[in-house]
Amino acid sequence: MLLVGYFVWDQYQQGRVALPGIQPVVSPTPAATPQTSTAPTLNLELEPVDFVSRPAQRKILELIGAQNYAESLAASDAWLRRNPTDALIGLMRENAIVELGNAGAYTIGVSAPLTGALKQVGEAFLQGVLLAVRQVNSSGGLQRGTVMNRIKVRVLNDAGDRAEAIKVASAFAKDKLIWGVIGPYSSSTLLAAAPIYNNSSNVIIAPAATNPRISSAGANIYRVAPSDSTQGASLARLVLARGNKSVAVLFDADDAYSSGLSVSFKAE
């Protein structure tokens, strides 16, 4: 009965029904006003704002793109209290803090697979970048002479795809604020983008790419992980130690990591 009564009263307030002895009250209809979108956009096709999964994440990235750092920091804090492992938003929060501090900063590029088959490792990749950035920034930054500079990060999505990695490399090469790039993640994407990086002033740190050709891919490129020559040989010795002398090797000839590993395995 309470719900029925509320419904009738609501209809009366809107002038849709009359109640005995009571004149209906009709609220004036407000004049229509043009609806304009006030949401800022980054206007950069490779930025992650176009594919984040939730509106709250998109809003934070849009605020960063619009240089609204105070509001983006507050929104990031609220988001990270509920989603503490979101490394992308964690990095955007670090950027906002650096910008609000109005101090010197180095900008580092990150080429990561944030969509596609390698999305999961891409997220782990960003976690490592976030850890390093927090460690450096919390200690005051990197020292150059007598000046301390904190780190900002520009994250672009290469989707684990060679063509996209080339686009990302081109974007970083044009960005004069970039001091260096972390990534791409895979051997195939790094080798595809290597010529562009070598024609720029950017230093490249490859955190996981292992193909032996990366060692000679260019003077600007530095690999962190052991090469396939070491990994494939170690795997072959393990197989032999377990008494297996006849094995089948299944590999993808179009993938630099897969083919490099198979070559070193068979050679050993």
Side-chain angles (χ1 to χ4, degrees):
M1 289 298 295
L2 182 61
L3 291 175
V4 172
Y6 174 79
F7 173 76
V8 173
W9 178 254
D10 179 67
Q11 296 295 296
Y12 158 73
Q13 291 283 2
Q14 298 182 47
R16 295 178 180 176
V17 299
L19 296 179
I22 303 178
Q23 293 297 320
V25 178
V26 180
S27 300
T29 302
T33 56
Q35 298 297 312
T36 58
S37 173
T38 59
T41 58
L42 290 178
N43 295 321
L44 294 167
E45 62 175 352
L46 298 169
E47 305 284 354
V49 67
D50 288 334
F51 52 79
V52 291
S53 59
R54 300 181 185 178
Q57 293 172 295
R58 178 185 294 270
K59 180 65 175 178
I60 292 168
L61 294 172
E62 289 174 342
L63 289 169
I64 287 285
Q67 299 182 0
N68 192 339
Y69 301 118
E71 190 175 347
S72 69
L73 179 59
S76 297
D77 285 342
W79 174 260
L80 291 170
R81 280 194 291 271
R82 303 187 303 272
N83 306 274
T85 62
D86 189 333
L88 176 61
I89 298 303
L91 286 168
M92 296 304 101
R93 180 183 183 276
E94 290 294 321
N95 287 353
I97 292 173
V98 172
E99 294 288 357
L100 290 170
N102 199 28
Y106 296 122
T107 301
I108 305 299
V110 177
S111 177
L114 303 181
T115 56
L118 294 178
K119 178 182 178 180
Q120 185 175 2
V121 294
E123 292 172 352
F125 180 13
L126 288 190
Q127 288 285 357
V129 175
L130 176 59
L131 176 62
V133 170
R134 282 177 172 170
Q135 288 175 338
V136 171
N137 287 348
S138 63
S139 65
L142 296 174
Q143 186 169 353
R144 189 182 190 196
T146 59
V147 178
M148 297 293 287
N149 290 284
R150 295 190 175 183
I151 294 179
K152 296 189 300 182
V153 176
R154 183 184 178 192
V155 180
L156 296 184
N157 176 38
D158 61 37
D161 178 82
R162 281 170 283 196
E164 293 301 311
I166 291 172
K167 290 181 183 179
V168 168
S170 299
F172 283 145
K174 295 175 183 177
D175 189 341
K176 301 307 180 183
L177 298 178
I178 297 292
W179 281 71
V181 177
I182 304 173
Y185 181 87
S186 71
S187 296
S188 294
T189 50
L190 178 57
L191 289 170
I196 296 175
Y197 284 126
N198 284 320
N199 285 329
S200 71
S201 59
N202 290 323
V203 173
I204 312 304
I205 302 296
T210 57
N211 189 281
R213 286 186 289 152
I214 294 170
S215 298
S216 57
N220 292 353
I221 298 174
Y222 296 85
R223 185 184 58 224
V224 176
S227 77
D228 295 335
S229 299
T230 300
Q231 294 186 41
S234 297
L235 181 59
R237 289 194 293 270
L238 176 62
V239 170
L240 287 170
R242 292 183 174 179
N244 300 295
K245 296 183 179 180
S246 179
V247 297
V249 178
L250 179 65
F251 68 98
D252 181 357
D254 292 327
D255 182 81
Y257 173 62
S258 181
S259 60
L261 203 61
S262 70
V263 168
S264 62
F265 177 88
K266 290 184 288 186
E268 182 70 14

